């Protein structure tokens, strides 16, 4: 019995020592292996990123609610820097630093400011959370031609695809699709079945309708390609899926067409026409005449469009400030609303909708400037969607605001006037 107890005690002591030794070896093995694997992922990712002569197509999905759909970037990596181009402004290229590091996993980080790369991630006074965009991405999978990422902020899955063509030509082809894909709707067929679609050009979301009285529908977000659009996930329409569509636009009659094929081999053809009043963003560029007082008074100005931010700077109306208008892609027009144009030591100078006797200090009150189809160089004024805009009689007023409202100093008036009444048009010179 004593021998058995001694044997058992010896066995237990040996087992404990062996277990501790195994645990230590196992702990060392996994710690070292994890660190090595992480470093290997980062080194391999960098090697793949820098191996592409033309760079990478970045399928970027800002906002966890996909409010903007997908946006295409073209990225070219060297050992430390990345050159960035984007469909929003094909002529612009910005270079900044990037890093490959660890943060609960391997991460690709665009850690120095880049106008294009950080456009959706940079806060402003009106958007303190920016546009909910990412600039740090968890590296999920790496192959020679495809890198899968996940946005650290949004959790959205995104992709880097090896670019096999000239990046300048690619970005401009994408930019043309982005600029001209502005049809609000299109009609046609999938095989023998009639179909229609609604195209939300701001959210990059297309919804299809078919069946009796268009009783069935299905939709999905998309991004631009150099030949059309690609859906984030294949969209099911009448029992088959659609992954991509080609898109062409005819400038002569402002008509667009989506074509392609579904998973059952049915041909797809959808077409639509823009209204004659539609003006593209670049049309709001150059020298204009601002006509008011029913055309009796005129002042020259210059319009400079900023495609990345969707704004149009109006300079020349007053030497002390510029006005900032926005471009409405859905309507194809310029929108000018109330704004603070200058700040003095004890007051603000406001440009707002209204007259000297009745004005509205709201940034949403303003007017659309819409192309006149009978006279395409003229952009005529009409109230925007704010209910107070229709009460402004197509007029603006410049007011000094302190403890109350005052007529502004002459130096802040336009053409000597603070009451910009009965605006007639913007006329392209």
């Amino acid at each position: 019995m004593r021998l058995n107890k001694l044997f058992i005690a010896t066995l237990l002591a040996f087992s404990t020592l062996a277990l501790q030794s195994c645990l230590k070896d196992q702990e060392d093995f996994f710690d070292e292996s994890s660190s090595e694997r992480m470093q290997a992922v980062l080194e391999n990712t960098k090697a793949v990123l820098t191996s592409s002569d033309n760079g990478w197509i970045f399928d970027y999905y800002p906002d966890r609610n996909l409010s903007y759909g997908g946006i295409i970037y073209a990225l070219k990596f060297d050992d430390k820097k990345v050159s960035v181009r984007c469909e929003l402004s094909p002529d612009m290229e910005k270079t900044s630093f990037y890093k490959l590091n660890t943060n609960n996993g391997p991460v690709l980080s665009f850690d120095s400011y880049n106008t294009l790369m950080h456009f959706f991630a940079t806060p402003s006074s009106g958007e303190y959370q920016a546009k909910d965009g990412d600039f740090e991405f968890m590296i999920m999978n790496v192959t020679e031609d495809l890198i899968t990422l996940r946005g650290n902020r949004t959790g959205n899955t995104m992709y880097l695809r090896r670019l096999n063509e000239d990046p300048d030509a690619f970005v401009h082809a994408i930019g043309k699709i982005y600029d001209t894909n502005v049809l609000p709707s299109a009609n046609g067929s999938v095989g023998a079945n009639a179909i229609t679609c609604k195209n939300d050009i701001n959210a990059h979301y297309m919804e299809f309708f078919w069946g009796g009285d268009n009783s069935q529908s299905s939709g999905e977000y998309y991004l631009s390609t150099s030949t059309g659009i690609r859906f984030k996930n294949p969209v099911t329409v009448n029992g088959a899926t659609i992954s991509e569509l080609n898109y062409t636009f005819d400038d002569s009659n402002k008509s667009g067409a989506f074509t392609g094929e579904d998973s059952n081999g049915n041909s797809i053809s959808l077409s639509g026409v823009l209204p004659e009043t539609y003006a593209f963003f670049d049309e709001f560029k150059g020298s204009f005449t601002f006509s008011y007082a029913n055309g009796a008074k005129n002042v020259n100005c210059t319009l400079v469009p900023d495609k990345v931010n969707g704004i149009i700077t109006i300079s020349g109306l007053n030497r002390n400030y510029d006005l900032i208008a926005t471009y409405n892609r859905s309507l194809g027009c310029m929108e000018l609303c109330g704004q603070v144009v200058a700040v003095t030591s004890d007051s603000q100078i406001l440009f707002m909708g209204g007259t000297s006797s009745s004005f509205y200090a709201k940034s949403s009150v303003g007017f659309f400037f819409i192309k006149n189809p009978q006279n395409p160089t003229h952009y005529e004024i009409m109230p925007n969607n704010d209910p107070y805009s229709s009460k402004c009689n197509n007029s603006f007023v410049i007011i000094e605001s302190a403890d109350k409202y005052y007529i502004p100093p002459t130096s802040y008036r336009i053409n000597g006037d603070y009451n910009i009444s009965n605006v007639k048009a913007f006329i392209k010179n």
Side-chain angles (χ1 to χ4, degrees), residues 163-309:
L163 180 57
N164 294 315
E165 59 184 286
D166 176 72
D168 182 72
F170 170 77
V171 172
H172 278 87
I174 291 277
K176 184 175 182 181
I177 296 294
Y178 176 84
D179 286 344
T180 60
N181 176 20
V182 288
L183 296 177
S185 63
N187 299 291
S189 62
V190 176
N193 298 307
I195 195 167
T196 187
C197 75
K198 290 183 179 179
N199 184 21
D200 186 333
I201 62 173
N202 295 314
H204 283 188
Y205 184 86
M206 185 173 285
E207 188 171 14
F208 297 89
F209 299 86
W210 69 95
D213 298 323
N214 286 333
S215 57
Q216 300 183 68
S217 65
S218 182
E220 182 56 279
Y221 294 94
Y222 64 81
L223 45 69
S224 302
T225 69
S226 57
T227 57
I229 64 173
R230 180 173 64 248
F231 293 104
K232 188 175 190 296
N233 299 293
V235 57
T236 301
V237 176
N238 202 23
T241 59
I242 303 171
S243 298
E244 295 188 22
L245 290 172
N246 296 319
Y247 181 72
T248 56
F249 186 79
D250 186 343
D251 289 312
S252 63
N253 58 12
K254 289 189 176 180
S255 64
F258 293 98
T259 58
E261 191 174 274
D262 69 15
S263 59
N264 288 341
N266 297 308
S267 61
I268 303 167
S269 179
L270 294 157
S271 60
V273 179
L274 289 175
E276 293 181 330
T277 56
Y278 195 96
F280 289 101
F281 196 19
D282 287 340
E283 295 182 56
F284 295 99
K285 180 180 182 179
S287 176
F288 284 72
T289 297
F290 183 44
S291 179
Y292 65 103
N294 287 321
K297 295 185 176 183
N298 299 283
V299 57
N300 292 328
C301 60
T302 301
L303 271 58
V304 179
D306 175 355
K307 188 171 290 186
V308 173
N309 294 293

Side-chain angles (χ1 to χ4, degrees), residues 31 41 54-55 65 94 135 152 185 207 245 292 294 338 341 344 351 366:
D31 277 349
V41 169
N54 293 311
N65 297 314
K94 296 294 182 180
F135 61 92
N152 279 0
S185 63
E207 188 171 14
L245 290 172
Y292 65 103
N294 287 321
V341 295
T344 69
F351 177 89

Side-chain angles (χ1 to χ4, degrees), residues 11-26:
L11 182 63
L12 286 172
F14 176 78
S15 299
T16 302
L17 289 171
L19 180 60
Q20 288 175 342
S21 177
C22 288
L23 284 173
K24 185 176 187 305
D25 290 345
Q26 201 173 45

Side-chain angles (χ1 to χ4, degrees), residues 347-365:
S347 68
Q348 292 181 326
I349 307 299
L350 307 178
F351 177 89
M352 66 187 75
T355 66
S356 58
S357 60
S358 178
F359 49 84
Y360 303 91
K362 293 177 61 182
S363 61
S364 59
V365 174

Side-chain angles (χ1 to χ4, degrees), residues 95-106:
T95 300
S96 55
F97 293 96
Y98 74 97
K99 282 184 181 177
L100 289 162
N101 52 26
T102 60
N103 182 10
N104 297 320

